[in-house]
Amino acid sequence: MKVLFATLLSVLFVTAAAQSELTIIKNGKTNYKIVIAKNADSAVQRAAFILQDYLKKISGAVLPVITDAQPPSPREIVIGNNARSRKDKSLSVNLNEDGYYIKTKVGTLFINGGSGKGIIYGVVSFLEDYLGCRKYSPEVEYIPLLQTITVPLINDRQVPPA
């Protein structure tokens, strides 16, 4: 009976841990897509392509960039304010011009930013803080080489004073 209880407890622990993190790329392959609004502005488009480019540099995997006009899938990285992010009221926060948030939720990574450069700051912060990228100058950067990219549970909101 003790062995059965210990086994059950360890299965529950592993299941809970797996639900609190996202494996975006595994062994250089991914089912994730980057989602932007159908009418995304240039900052959101740039943020999506920065993320796509760096994920490729890190792992070799290419995540397609699609619009929110396409049907949702269970594994997405949602960039900017669009139909996917508007469905969740907890993501509707005042970010000012340069603020951003990064949040994971049930198979989805959300990165959104304020009306200025906030969305770019959000993507760059994700690359630096959660994937270990560093940009020291326009010519010098460090990009880790990873076959698997797993991120922990994230709920990071940064709003600089106005």
Side-chain angles (χ1 to χ4, degrees), residues 4-95:
L4 179 62
F5 179 72
T7 303
L8 180 60
L9 190 59
S10 64
V11 168
L12 290 174
F13 178 74
V14 169
T15 302
Q19 291 177 352
S20 66
E21 58 185 28
L22 300 179
T23 299
I24 298 170
I25 297 169
K26 187 172 185 175
N27 298 322
K29 299 187 185 327
T30 186
N31 291 324
Y32 272 79
K33 297 172 183 155
I34 299 171
V35 181
I36 62 174
K38 184 177 178 181
N39 59 348
D41 65 23
S42 62
V44 171
Q45 291 176 26
R46 182 169 176 234
F49 288 110
I50 289 170
L51 182 62
Q52 180 188 49
D53 182 49
Y54 275 85
L55 290 174
K56 181 180 178 189
K57 288 177 183 179
I58 293 167
S59 69
V62 178
L63 282 71
V65 176
I66 64 169
T67 71
D68 58 353
Q70 295 181 327
S73 67
R75 292 176 183 81
E76 295 181 333
I77 300 175
V78 178
I79 305 290
N81 187 23
N82 61 50
R84 308 280 207 281
S85 58
R86 285 191 293 268
K87 287 182 180 179
D88 185 339
K89 298 297 181 207
S90 73
L91 302 174
S92 301
V93 294
N94 184 7
L95 296 171

Side-chain angles (χ1 to χ4, degrees), residues 4 42 45 63 66-67 69 105 111 126 137 146-147 150 154:
L4 179 62
S42 62
Q45 291 176 26
L63 282 71
I66 64 169
T67 71
K105 188 174 182 181
I111 303 176
F126 173 74
S137 74
L146 305 169
Q147 285 292 304
T150 301
I154 303 171

